[in-house]
Amino acid sequence: IVFLLTLCCRSGAAAAVGSCKVRLPRVGSADSCSETAAHIVAGSMKSTQLLRRLVSPVPAPASAWQRGNKRTSPQIYPLLFGGHCVATQGISSDCELKCALAEVIPSLQDRLKSIKAAFGGKSLGEVTVNMSLGGMRGVPGLLWETSLLDAEDGIRFRGHTITELQQKLPKAYASGEPLPEGLLWLFLTGNMPSKEQVAGLSAELRKRADIPPQVFKVLEALPAKTHPMTQLSCAIMSMQPDSKFARAYENGLSKSDYWDPTFEDSLDCIARLPGIAAAIYRRTFRNGSLINADPALDWAGNLAHMMGYSDRGVRELMRLYMTIHSDHEGGNVSAHATHLVGSALSDPYLSFAAGLNGLAGPLHGLANQEVLKWLNQVESELGSDVSREDLSRYVSATLKSGRVVPGYGHAVLRKTDPRFTCQREFALKHLPDYPKFKLVSKLFDVVPAVLAKTGKVANPWPNVDAHSGVLLQFHGITEENFYTVLFGVSRAIGVLSQLVLSRAMGLPIERPKSVTTGWLENKFG
């Protein structure tokens, strides 16, 4: 073993594991090479597994008649070939994130096995009839690693609050907003990335960002007035014929390897989303003239640039927006739909399109549009410089008429949504005198007290939707029908990360039990 690694070291070759490479340093003497090789071998049992793959012959892909009806592993064993990783199924990548993910998957699988062994028979709590009839609200029935919603602290991404992410994740500027690439790394690995790792991931996404030509053909075939979310869903579906997971599964793929092509498809999809969203925006609202990506910009910065906004403030807003809208547990419609469809081993394109179609519903992704419409209505009836007293009376009248105050309340949270708070801080920093922001601030002072007096609202505090539309409006992105597309681009980071983790953990197809009204009457009547 030491001899083989020494040869690799002397030639400066790369030892490839799965789709990742371990680059052995080129050094001058055989002794130093032997020491390096011996250190690698002694350092981890993974080195033994690595060398077994190196010395094992790469089996030729089985023909259709050899496979018959038996589903076999494609044996994605790499070759030492010019320092690059080559896989028999064409699923390979030099992506550092993929290597980091491959490192943590065994511990993730072991942890799940331990939980099953230790707690598999434990109850997660009682399910009442009202919970079943109320949209399964509060029923703990999903495993979702990327985020957890706490009633008091709000959303935590891999255990970190939004405030902590703003402090710890690498940024484009020292005092700026986090780069969403860093959050993608955190979601998939559970580890906070370095600035260098995020820069490498940004480069990887740029490398994958070329949009297949059929996407533009599909968009052009749609009527010009097609809703932007419909366009986005169609664009995602148009990329499905190129799915690496679908091709690998058809050729025969071991269950233990499901995560690999799922990762490849997911990263391809995420990389292309800014260009696709920008193309939809330009086609729908800017006469179809497209803007090329800037190779010097990050993922979210390029989204703003390709939409036609070059101001630094817009790029910072996009980085914030893409970060805070990326995930919100697994029970919301877009996340659950993606997970549900993916559990049937539908590829990431099919799964994410399902999530987008759920996000397009007025009770989910259109909420920020409803907030903006209501703010415009308040301005038109009361003026932009309304007093808090008049605003309080207006809110009370709104509630008495049977309508709701959009942007307030949440199914789980019992405090102000931290995503609202960080947007408010962004506004105080960048647009403190904007009239609509001042109106949002006055509503923040007035609405919770009015709602609390009714005694019917468990959480009278603002949620993320109460603020996001105002920030976009200030920066000139006034096309409200496009806001959900931005939401969808952001949400891809969370739901596709979890899709990869679900395949890595071997989670089964989702199949909850349903009952009829007659069954309920017979059981409890």
Side-chain angles (χ1 to χ4, degrees):
I1 289 174
V2 172
F3 172 72
L4 285 169
L5 275 173
T6 301
L7 289 178
C8 293
C9 182
R10 290 293 299 274
S11 62
V17 184
S19 294
C20 306
K21 296 186 303 181
V22 179
R23 174 69 63 179
L24 302 180
R26 188 185 186 113
V27 292
S29 69
D31 288 342
S32 56
C33 283
S34 297
E35 291 171 2
T36 301
H39 174 74
I40 294 173
V41 172
S44 171
M45 288 297 292
K46 291 176 182 176
S47 301
T48 305
Q49 298 168 359
L50 180 155
L51 284 166
R52 284 174 181 166
R53 290 192 171 191
L54 284 177
V55 300
S56 297
V58 178
S63 63
W65 68 266
Q66 287 174 317
R67 288 196 305 268
N69 293 324
K70 182 179 180 181
R71 183 156 298 282
T72 58
S73 170
Q75 301 295 322
I76 306 179
Y77 290 167
L79 301 172
L80 290 177
F81 186 79
H84 295 286
C85 181
V86 181
T88 61
Q89 293 292 321
I91 304 169
S92 63
S93 173
D94 293 339
C95 177
E96 186 181 0
L97 172 57
K98 189 172 186 178
C99 296
L101 173 59
E103 287 287 326
V104 301
I105 284 176
S107 61
L108 183 64
Q109 294 170 336
D110 290 343
R111 186 178 185 184
L112 187 60
K113 290 178 183 177
S114 297
I115 290 174
K116 287 182 177 180
F119 313 122
K122 301 294 184 180
S123 172
L124 290 174
E126 183 182 15
V127 177
T128 66
V129 172
N130 279 340
M131 292 168 76
S132 292
L133 299 181
M136 296 191 292
R137 188 158 295 186
V139 177
L142 291 172
L143 183 64
W144 196 265
E145 285 293 284
T146 49
S147 63
L148 183 67
L149 184 56
D150 182 86
E152 299 298 325
D153 295 334
I155 194 67
R156 284 181 177 268
F157 295 144
R158 284 291 198 158
H160 300 276
T161 65
I162 286 179
T163 300
E164 291 169 348
L165 293 180
Q166 288 181 300
Q167 296 170 350
K168 296 178 181 179
L169 283 176
K171 306 172 179 63
Y173 309 103
S175 59
E177 300 299 331
L179 292 169
E181 293 93 320
L183 185 59
L184 175 59
W185 184 291
L186 176 64
F187 277 157
L188 282 168
T189 69
N191 298 317
M192 197 68 67
S194 67
K195 185 176 181 180
E196 292 74 22
Q197 287 170 327
V198 169
L201 182 53
S202 292
E204 176 70 22
L205 292 174
R206 285 193 294 270
K207 185 172 70 175
R208 294 170 178 255
D210 289 343
I211 300 171
Q214 72 265 22
V215 173
F216 298 105
K217 292 179 181 178
V218 167
L219 292 178
E220 287 302 318
L222 295 172
K225 294 184 178 180
T226 302
H227 193 285
M229 279 300 286
T230 305
Q231 295 185 56
L232 180 59
S233 179
C234 290
I236 298 301
M237 287 295 291
S238 72
M239 295 189 289
Q240 192 279 333
D242 298 327
S243 167
K244 295 181 175 73
F245 178 87
R247 184 169 64 249
Y249 188 85
E250 182 179 1
N251 290 337
L253 184 65
S254 170
K255 185 177 180 179
S256 62
D257 292 326
Y258 284 173
W259 73 271
D260 188 327
T262 302
F263 173 92
E264 293 294 329
D265 278 350
S266 296
L267 214 62
D268 285 346
C269 184
I270 291 170
R272 296 166 183 169
L273 276 171
I276 292 173
I280 293 171
Y281 182 79
R282 303 291 298 180
R283 175 179 183 266
T284 307
F285 306 110
R286 295 294 186 272
N287 300 317
S289 59
L290 303 185
I291 299 173
N292 292 329
D294 184 343
L297 285 175
D298 54 281
W299 183 78
N302 249 322
L303 171 57
H305 166 74
M306 288 186 287
M307 286 175 61
Y309 299 92
S310 58
D311 180 75
R312 173 172 168 171
V314 185
R315 295 199 295 265
E316 281 291 274
L317 172 59
M318 282 300 169
R319 291 168 187 134
L320 175 65
Y321 193 100
M322 293 296 124
T323 297
I324 66 175
H325 287 82
S326 60
D327 206 38
H328 215 234
E329 280 195 341
N332 64 78
V333 171
S334 56
H336 188 194
T338 303
H339 174 80
L340 172 64
V341 174
S343 75
L345 296 187
S346 298
D347 62 64
Y349 298 104
L350 295 171
S351 303
F352 182 52
L356 288 175
N357 292 338
L359 188 65
L363 295 183
H364 187 18
L366 300 187
N368 58 1
Q369 293 183 40
E370 297 301 316
V371 170
L372 203 55
K373 289 177 182 177
W374 190 73
L375 290 176
N376 290 335
Q377 180 182 333
V378 173
E379 275 190 324
S380 66
E381 296 184 21
L382 301 180
S384 59
D385 194 25
V386 58
S387 69
R388 285 172 172 76
E389 291 74 18
D390 288 342
L391 197 56
S392 179
R393 284 190 287 269
Y394 185 87
V395 171
S396 296
T398 298
L399 296 174
K400 289 178 181 178
S401 68
R403 293 173 293 167
V404 300
V405 178
Y408 281 77
H410 194 276
V412 178
L413 286 172
R414 294 298 175 262
K415 286 187 176 181
T416 299
D417 192 335
R419 299 173 299 172
F420 174 92
T421 303
C422 71
Q423 289 182 102
R424 176 173 170 78
E425 292 170 352
F426 183 93
L428 287 169
K429 181 178 179 181
H430 296 284
L431 47 136
D433 299 322
Y434 183 44
K436 272 192 170 60
F437 168 60
K438 289 184 176 181
L439 178 57
V440 168
S441 296
K442 290 177 182 177
L443 287 167
F444 183 38
D445 293 337
V446 166
V447 173
V450 176
L451 289 175
K453 286 180 181 178
T454 67
K456 301 177 181 179
V457 181
N459 173 28
W461 304 103
N463 58 51
V464 64
D465 299 310
H467 217 310
S468 55
V470 169
L471 300 181
L472 294 168
Q473 289 272 319
F474 173 79
H475 286 289
I477 307 174
T478 58
E479 299 83 6
E480 299 168 17
N481 277 354
F482 189 74
Y483 291 175
T484 314
V485 171
L486 294 175
F487 195 164
V489 173
S490 171
R491 186 51 58 95
I493 299 175
V495 299
L496 290 179
S497 292
Q498 179 58 47
L499 194 66
V500 175
L501 296 175
S502 294
R503 299 291 75 78
M505 291 187 288
L507 297 185
I509 187 171
E510 186 176 317
R511 186 32 174 110
K513 175 76 174 105
S514 63
V515 298
T516 65
T517 52
W519 185 93
L520 291 172
E521 290 168 339
N522 291 334
K523 183 174 180 63
F524 300 109

